[in-house]
Amino acid sequence: MNNKSTTLNISLIPLFVLITLILGAGFFLLQGEIELPKFDRGPEVRRIEGFPTVIYSDKKIEKQREVITNEEKLNEFLNFVDETGLLTLRENINFNKENLLAVSTDTNDQTGVRLKIDKIYEDKEDQTLIVTLEEKVPGDYCETENDPNIAVDIAAISKTDWKIKFERVKKTEPC
């Protein structure tokens, strides 16, 4: 008896490429329908259209730092900083999915002061979100006008049960 062995030489590269193409096409076809797990990406923050802004008003107010969780609190904040009622949001907010961070300055006697929600940091040990506000004021030799105003900013943040703290960073802008 003669035992002859035959070997079959098949390359696995075309098979691997074919499987990769099938999985890739399936992923792109079902992209919006399959929710992949999110790995601790933290809160999602988005800018609200029309903010930051400046409101010209003679009303004297103190700075505001608010976490707004419903439409009623939003209306209270907007009416507090702008008694004319002209300040509104241009988009609808789903308070079941997100909250608003709303901040304002004291009443400024001079023009040129701007306020912006700049960054949000996580303190995982204390389960606290630290919201950094950037307040820019004009330098000593800048040309400003005597026109009372209030700088306001509002941003949306995904709903969270963490505590939220605000801290201000004041910067002087050169002219």
Side-chain angles (χ1 to χ4, degrees):
M1 271 185 122
N2 216 356
N3 277 346
K4 289 187 177 178
S5 111
T6 309
T7 58
L8 184 61
N9 292 328
I10 298 177
S11 176
L12 295 178
I13 293 174
L15 182 63
F16 177 73
V17 169
L18 184 62
I19 290 173
T20 303
L21 287 174
I22 291 171
L23 291 175
F27 173 76
F28 286 113
L29 289 174
L30 299 174
Q31 188 172 2
E33 298 175 19
I34 296 176
E35 189 74 26
L36 297 174
K38 297 178 183 174
F39 298 105
D40 196 25
R41 290 193 298 184
E44 294 181 26
V45 180
R46 68 180 176 88
R47 305 289 322 159
I48 298 295
E49 184 181 344
F51 289 91
T53 189
V54 175
I55 301 163
Y56 294 94
S57 173
D58 292 329
K59 180 181 176 184
K60 296 287 184 193
I61 68 166
E62 293 184 9
K63 67 181 179 184
Q64 297 294 305
R65 309 291 189 254
E66 299 285 333
V67 177
I68 298 175
T69 57
N70 59 41
E71 193 75 33
E72 184 180 314
K73 286 184 178 183
L74 173 61
N75 291 332
E76 285 176 18
F77 176 81
L78 294 175
N79 291 331
F80 181 76
V81 296
D82 181 25
E83 59 194 16
T84 64
L86 297 175
L87 184 64
T88 59
L89 294 187
R90 297 180 188 158
E91 54 192 270
N92 293 327
I93 305 299
N94 183 352
F95 287 105
N96 293 327
K97 293 184 179 180
E98 57 189 2
N99 292 330
L100 294 177
L101 302 174
V103 296
S104 73
T105 61
D106 297 328
T107 302
N108 303 304
D109 295 327
Q110 304 275 325
T111 59
V113 176
R114 296 182 306 198
L115 181 69
K116 179 181 177 187
I117 296 172
D118 190 34
K119 295 179 182 172
I120 297 180
Y121 300 99
E122 292 180 345
D123 183 353
K124 292 185 180 187
E125 288 180 13
D126 293 339
Q127 288 194 335
T128 302
L129 296 176
I130 301 167
V131 180
T132 303
L133 311 175
E134 182 179 75
E135 184 175 348
K136 292 183 179 179
V137 296
D140 292 336
Y141 301 108
C142 293
E143 198 172 303
T144 60
E145 297 178 21
N146 288 333
D147 197 358
N149 62 76
I150 303 163
V152 179
D153 194 12
I154 299 176
I157 185 171
S158 57
K159 203 162 194 134
T160 180
D161 56 350
W162 286 24
K163 295 178 280 185
I164 298 177
K165 291 182 182 178
F166 295 92
E167 68 179 30
R168 180 184 70 149
V169 175
K170 191 172 184 178
K171 294 183 179 179
T172 302
E173 282 192 306
C175 300

